[in-house]
Amino acid sequence: MDIKRVGVVGAGTMGNGIAHVFARGGFNVVLCDVDQRFLERAVATITKNLDREVSKNKITESDKASALGKIQTVTGRGTLADCDFVVEAATERFEIKTEIFRDLDGLTRPEIILASNTSSISITKLAALTKRPDKVIGMHFFNPVPVMKLVEVIRGLATSQETFEIVRDLSVKLEKTPVEVNDAPGFVSNRVLMPLLNEAMYAVMEGVATPQAVDEVFKLGMAHPMGPLTLADFIGLDVCLDIMRVLQSGFGDPKYRPCPLLIKMVDAGWLGRKSGRGFYKY
Ligand SMILES: NC(=O)c1ccc[n+]([C@@H]2O[C@H](COP(=O)([O-])OP(=O)(O)OC[C@H]3O[C@@H](n4cnc5c(N)ncnc54)[C@H](O)[C@@H]3O)[C@@H](O)[C@H]2O)c1
């Protein structure tokens, strides 16, 4: 299949990064969100991030202009009808993704692949909402998308080998490294990472150590580039809580119980870096 025009649904943190890498990779991109404001913010972020790549001599000014020229922003999903591939990166809520997948299934050509960037929702369940479950797949990018090399490529129960191979090859075209994973709560990345972050929060809650001390242990003792609480603030504490809840309900195992301090901080609106306060102040 010749993929030239790519739809990206959701223009937030991940959607703007995904649009950025597709446009920089030479694809025409239709970036879709519910409100013009979010699209303007996304284009401003993409411009700033392309500027950074120019200043680091990774791309030229003309590459930047060409990438920006390939991104079309829309609030109406109808424009996605003639896309050759769509990746959904909307808010991590099953109801929202349900509506989007049903709509995309009716809107787009039946042979095109519908991918989701979900961090934790079952690809098998998303696929079952459509009449093309063999063409639904997880394409899980990491934040910041233009920088991070990994794409977890997640096969739902019905995902075909052909779909998997197309998305694997597409990831390579975007200069990413695809890693094949089967569908299970949290896939590999969040199943392993989130309990680590959650446990670090328990250590803080129980007064074992301050956030700074916990982070120092991981930076200096385990050579992590940033400690777990800095990382949790960066990801967003609401996102961390949502993922812990998916693990908790998906496995039904009490070891995935979200830390009460995390719940309290989210209730207070302390969502990490994006809200100005989390385990640290920004
Ligand atoms: N933030 C991360 O580090 C990260 C990493 C990997 C994957 N993800 C996943 O990526 C997805 C997006 O996360 P994010 O961090 O970019 O969230 P975000 O809140 O920054 O952005 C979500 C965007 O989706 C838009 N949206 C909501 N409903 C929509 C709809 N019906 N149609 C079109 N757009 C809609 C919102 O307006 C918002 O702009 C989630 O599934 C999340 O689990 C996030």
Side-chain angles (χ1 to χ4, degrees):
M1 188 199 300
D2 198 12
I3 297 176
K4 291 204 169 87
R5 188 171 159 87
V6 173
V8 180
V9 181
T13 310
M14 297 304 288
N16 82 61
I18 295 168
H20 175 138
V21 295
F22 272 107
R24 199 183 54 190
F27 297 87
N28 291 314
V29 176
V30 182
L31 179 60
C32 172
D33 207 306
V34 289
D35 196 307
Q36 191 58 34
R37 276 181 306 136
F38 302 139
L39 293 165
E40 283 163 15
R41 188 185 56 190
V43 171
T45 304
I46 295 169
T47 307
K48 191 183 73 194
N49 290 337
L50 286 167
D51 278 335
R52 188 172 301 141
E53 291 179 339
V54 171
S55 69
K56 289 185 175 169
N57 291 323
K58 287 187 176 163
I59 59 168
T60 63
E61 274 290 347
S62 111
D63 295 334
K64 173 192 152 189
S66 147
L68 282 173
K70 287 185 181 299
I71 300 173
Q72 177 188 0
T73 59
V74 296
T75 49
R77 240 178 258 154
T79 318
L80 299 171
D82 60 352
C83 284
D84 309 312
F85 180 84
V86 178
V87 53
E88 168 278 317
T91 311
E92 186 78 342
R93 290 263 183 274
F94 186 63
E95 321 80 75
I96 292 178
K97 296 195 193 281
T98 297
E99 189 276 319
I100 293 172
F101 269 82
R102 286 203 173 121
D103 195 31
L104 289 175
D105 193 35
L107 199 66
T108 56
R109 297 195 304 279
E111 67 273 18
I112 77 149
I113 294 172
L114 304 177
S116 176
N117 183 54
T118 178
S119 302
S120 58
I121 292 170
S122 163
I123 300 301
T124 304
K125 267 172 131 176
L126 293 177
L129 298 166
T130 72
K131 294 190 187 76
R132 59 182 99 179
D134 56 316
K135 295 193 174 60
V136 175
I137 191 162
M139 190 178 194
H140 188 203
F141 291 87
F142 287 75
N143 185 22
V145 181
V147 177
M148 300 299 273
K149 282 282 169 210
L150 176 63
V151 177
E152 253 184 328
V153 182
I154 302 133
R155 285 172 184 264
L157 192 60
T159 308
S160 70
Q161 180 64 17
E162 188 194 7
T163 299
F164 168 76
E165 285 171 10
I166 290 171
V167 174
R168 181 196 60 195
D169 296 350
L170 194 55
S171 306
V172 172
K173 277 192 198 140
L174 300 176
E175 298 178 2
K176 302 292 180 200
T177 305
V179 173
E180 180 181 354
V181 170
N182 286 321
D183 194 16
F187 316 128
V188 170
S189 50
N190 283 316
R191 178 181 183 160
V192 178
L193 175 66
M194 280 302 155
L196 168 71
L197 271 48
N198 197 51
E199 200 59 31
M201 294 172 197
Y202 271 109
V204 171
M205 186 182 78
E206 291 169 8
V208 178
T210 62
Q212 290 82 353
V214 172
D215 282 348
E216 283 294 284
V217 166
F218 277 85
K219 280 194 291 184
L220 303 180
M222 286 80 177
H224 287 199
M226 66 174 89
L229 299 162
T230 302
L231 180 56
D233 274 358
F234 187 70
I235 292 170
L237 299 185
D238 50 341
V239 176
C240 294
L241 179 57
D242 284 343
I243 297 172
M244 284 310 297
R245 288 196 162 129
V246 168
L247 294 178
Q248 187 183 32
S249 68
F251 290 113
D253 186 327
K255 77 177 175 182
Y256 297 107
R257 186 169 72 102
C259 175
L261 176 60
L262 171 63
I263 297 172
K264 206 185 275 182
M265 290 174 77
V266 171
D267 284 346
W270 298 3
L271 307 182
R273 198 173 268 277
K274 64 185 167 191
S275 72
R277 182 150 192 190
F279 285 93
Y280 298 92
K281 285 188 180 159
Y282 299 92

